[in-house]
Amino acid sequence: MSRLARKAEILKLARVLGVGEADLAYLHGSDAESIRSFREQASARLFDADESRLKRVAAASKLLPIPLIALIAEHVFGDVLCARVAGLIAPDRAADLAQRLRVGFLADVTLEIDPRHVREVIKRIPVARIVEVGLELARRGEFVTLARFVDYVSADAIKAVMEKLTDNAALLHIAFFVEDKTRLNELVGFLPETRLREIIFLAADESQDLWAEALALMNYVSPEWRKRLGELAATLDDGIVSSMARSAQAQNLWSAVLPIVGVMSGAHQQRLLKLPILGDETVLDSIVKTVDMDHLWNELIPLVPMMQPEQQRRLANLPRLRESRVLEAVLKATDVNGMWNQLLPLVGLMDEDAQQKLALAAEKLSDGAFGRVFEAVQAGRTWAPLLVLLLRMREDVRMRIAPLVKKLSPESARLIAQEAGRLGVLDRLESLWDSLAKLR
Amino acid sequence: MARSDFELLARELGGDPPETFHALPADGLASLTAALRAARARQKKQLDEALTKALEHVPALMRLPVRKVLGL
């Protein structure tokens, strides 16, 4: 997700500085918040310059009637000067002036204006006028500018623009750039379900290349809306979700997909996980790579039990999941999120090398974490994967765990003994933990 | 002592850029400084041209005092 937010911020900064996106390629390692902060500073630097001179122009305008100012504004001052003066004249007069300018010229002015300076003016402009300018800007493809105004325009005006703006791709582009993401919940609520479906179908048309924008929107909205939009996509045919997965793979968007899948119902998650593309080892590796980079283990691990056995086996044996740093991150996230019963079953699907690497990483778990592992497994009553891991650990680590074994219930001790017998390791376990024999 | 690229950007910006920008490559910082400087110059030129154009519509006798008032 951070990648999409950064992309949006780079495009917005490029717009402020009047350069191309490619000219700011060196910002691809920066975080979105820093780029946004810099953009605001740069905008203020540009917009606040020459204020004293512009105040004199604004003061002079008081002497003239509005119709004459409108004429001068359009034919003499031009868009840049009008944009800079707009916030310095009385809001009522400025709004009156906005009513008298041609729509095309008002759109030109809007492109140059800093909405923070004309908040009071915007409030006074009738909805019909805002719709006209909004549609003109959308026609020109000025989505960054439209998005900047979303924070300042009334809900009624936005709703009216959205009703008239039938271009769903434009809506997705605008949503991608909106500054105050919390506003998106309200905006999505203005759209009837048929239109939401149309938007998802549009995103799935890969010739349009809009999945990044659609996924960004689904991530920015509240968890309730995310669930609703995600499930809406999931209820459409498999082609839609396959298209989403293909785009996620091609454009490295898994960090945007996983939180959406995470809030879907179990049935939808299962359906999604059955898609052939998600059984592909390269795709699974991309997902794990993204999850590792963006710390999304808490999104991925709950999905593991719903995967197909072959999918689980491929995941569990990925080379990336043999690196000690990655495994330690997996174990930490599993512990913090209480997901031991979701993770441990993978142990039985791992080859010996993968099991050994996981055991080595698990040796570093704290006593507290081991305690939570035992509690979880005791509740889940499936001991085999844990026993396999424990038997691969160094003896001193197993001795460290002995006090936890002493605290087990007799029933758990019996279950352990059963599993250990099945694995042919009961003697080894009982010689290590004499309390196990006593308990059962 | 020569100013660092970060300091030059701060000067153009009229304040310190975000701390994380210290990690940007030197040519990136220089490029941002140049882009901001160009944007400021472009905007100043557009404003000057708009105001000068406006003056052409002021009667000749009034132009000098108006020019003074507008700081041109």
Side-chain angles (χ1 to χ4, degrees):
Chain A
M1 224 12 252
S2 53
R3 214 176 58 81
L4 289 177
R6 178 168 54 238
K7 182 181 165 68
E9 282 305 328
I10 289 175
L11 286 166
K12 286 192 250 183
L13 178 60
R15 176 85 179 70
V16 169
L17 295 178
V19 297
E21 182 191 359
D23 296 323
L24 301 177
Y26 49 85
L27 289 176
H28 280 284
S30 301
D31 62 288
E33 195 44 50
S34 295
I35 303 170
R36 176 184 173 142
S37 169
F38 179 78
R39 171 172 56 84
E40 284 174 355
Q41 287 177 287
S43 290
R45 182 70 162 158
L46 286 167
F47 213 84
D48 297 341
D50 286 313
E51 197 175 83
S52 57
R53 193 157 59 138
L54 295 166
K55 274 182 177 164
R56 289 194 286 265
V57 175
S61 76
K62 278 186 195 163
L63 306 170
L64 302 172
I66 293 287
L68 184 57
I69 297 177
L71 201 67
I72 295 172
E74 204 162 329
H75 297 285
V76 179
F77 281 1
D79 50 358
V80 174
L81 183 54
C82 286
R84 297 290 307 279
V85 174
L88 300 172
I89 57 181
D92 285 333
R93 273 173 76 80
D96 196 359
L97 187 56
Q99 280 287 84
R100 290 166 194 269
L101 298 173
R102 277 187 311 112
V103 171
F105 181 72
L106 195 51
D108 293 341
V109 174
T110 308
L111 286 173
E112 302 294 338
I113 225 161
D114 183 340
R116 289 175 302 175
H117 291 250
V118 288
R119 194 188 294 263
E120 290 304 315
V121 182
I122 294 170
K123 278 185 196 165
R124 290 163 168 81
I125 298 177
V127 167
R129 191 65 169 163
I130 290 175
V131 170
E132 287 174 332
V133 177
L135 293 179
E136 173 62 17
L137 288 170
R139 193 188 61 76
R140 297 184 192 180
E142 293 291 352
F143 307 123
V144 173
T145 298
L146 278 162
R148 288 177 76 206
F149 277 82
V150 165
D151 287 353
Y152 301 91
V153 173
S154 71
D156 285 347
I158 292 178
K159 191 175 179 202
V161 172
M162 287 170 78
E163 279 169 5
K164 294 278 183 191
L165 181 58
T166 52
D167 179 356
N168 287 330
L171 284 187
L172 279 177
H173 285 302
I174 296 165
F176 186 62
F177 292 117
V178 163
E179 301 270 320
D180 178 6
K181 307 299 184 201
T182 59
R183 195 93 205 259
L184 289 173
N185 296 319
E186 188 183 12
L187 270 55
V188 173
F190 292 151
L191 296 171
E193 190 158 312
T194 48
R195 194 148 181 214
L196 290 172
R197 277 176 203 274
E198 284 168 16
I199 289 174
I200 293 167
F201 272 117
L202 179 75
D205 175 356
E206 285 166 60
S207 67
Q208 299 275 335
D209 194 19
L210 282 168
W211 267 121
E213 283 79 359
L215 290 170
L217 173 64
M218 289 181 183
N219 274 270
Y220 291 146
V221 290
S222 65
E224 294 74 29
W225 267 113
R226 191 174 309 136
K227 182 176 165 66
R228 194 164 156 209
L229 293 175
E231 297 207 332
L232 200 57
T235 52
L236 303 174
D237 65 77
D238 279 359
I240 301 284
V241 268
S242 291
S243 154
M244 179 170 76
R246 273 195 303 276
S247 290
Q249 178 66 10
Q251 298 179 50
N252 190 17
L253 298 172
W254 288 113
S255 62
V257 171
L258 287 171
I260 298 167
V261 178
V263 292
M264 287 179 183
S265 68
H268 285 129
Q269 287 175 334
Q270 268 175 334
R271 184 167 160 234
L272 192 74
L273 289 166
K274 275 185 189 160
L275 291 174
I277 187 174
L278 291 178
D280 184 287
E281 198 169 307
T282 315
V283 172
L284 287 171
D285 185 57
S286 292
I287 294 174
V288 169
K289 184 180 173 191
T290 306
V291 162
D292 179 41
M293 277 174 57
D294 291 356
H295 314 289
L296 292 172
W297 294 109
N298 59 325
E299 301 283 359
L300 179 63
I301 296 170
L303 300 176
V304 169
M306 278 180 275
M307 290 180 175
Q308 307 293 301
E310 181 54 22
Q311 206 176 6
Q312 290 176 330
R313 192 190 62 74
R314 285 184 186 156
L315 176 75
N317 290 291
L318 285 174
R320 198 178 296 278
L321 282 174
R322 293 166 201 242
E323 294 170 25
S324 58
R325 182 195 58 75
V326 178
L327 286 171
E328 283 165 29
V330 172
L331 293 173
K332 189 177 172 193
T334 305
D335 187 37
V336 168
N337 294 289
M339 298 185 296
W340 289 110
N341 285 326
Q342 282 102 319
L343 181 82
L344 284 171
L346 286 185
V347 173
L349 301 168
M350 290 175 171
D351 62 31
E352 290 199 358
D353 177 62
Q355 286 178 351
Q356 190 59 50
K357 298 266 167 57
L358 182 60
L360 270 174
E363 284 178 352
K364 295 179 186 163
L365 288 172
S366 65
D367 289 354
F370 270 120
R372 288 185 285 278
V373 175
F374 269 72
E375 275 172 29
V377 177
Q378 190 160 226
R381 298 160 62 89
T382 307
W383 288 92
L386 180 60
L387 297 182
V388 168
L389 272 191
L390 291 174
L391 287 167
R392 289 189 176 277
M393 290 183 191
R394 292 193 321 267
E395 192 165 332
D396 60 311
V397 180
R398 291 198 299 252
M399 293 308 291
R400 193 151 64 85
I401 295 161
L404 294 170
V405 179
K406 271 188 192 166
K407 288 185 201 162
L408 289 173
S409 66
E411 193 207 352
S412 293
R414 270 194 301 278
L415 281 171
I416 291 179
Q418 261 177 27
E419 295 281 7
R422 202 172 52 78
L423 294 167
V425 296
L426 184 59
D427 292 348
R428 279 177 69 195
L429 274 185
E430 287 196 336
S431 65
L432 184 69
W433 298 324
D434 56 354
S435 55
L436 192 61
K438 286 178 198 159
L439 276 167
R440 69 189 183 91
Chain B
M1 197 175 81
R3 283 173 184 270
S4 71
D5 291 299
F6 188 86
E7 285 170 335
L8 289 172
L9 178 59
R11 195 174 170 192
E12 194 63 42
L13 193 60
D16 279 345
E19 271 296 303
T20 52
F21 276 32
H22 277 293
L24 289 179
D27 56 350
L29 287 168
S31 179
L32 267 186
T33 307
L36 182 56
R37 186 178 300 136
R40 290 179 67 199
R42 198 164 45 243
Q43 197 182 58
K44 183 168 182 342
K45 185 167 176 275
Q46 283 175 321
L47 275 181
D48 285 346
E49 281 174 1
L51 288 168
T52 304
K53 196 176 161 197
L55 270 180
E56 288 168 8
H57 295 261
V58 173
L61 277 174
M62 296 285 288
R63 274 184 208 160
L64 191 61
V66 172
R67 188 177 279 275
K68 276 187 184 165
V69 168
L70 296 181
L72 286 167

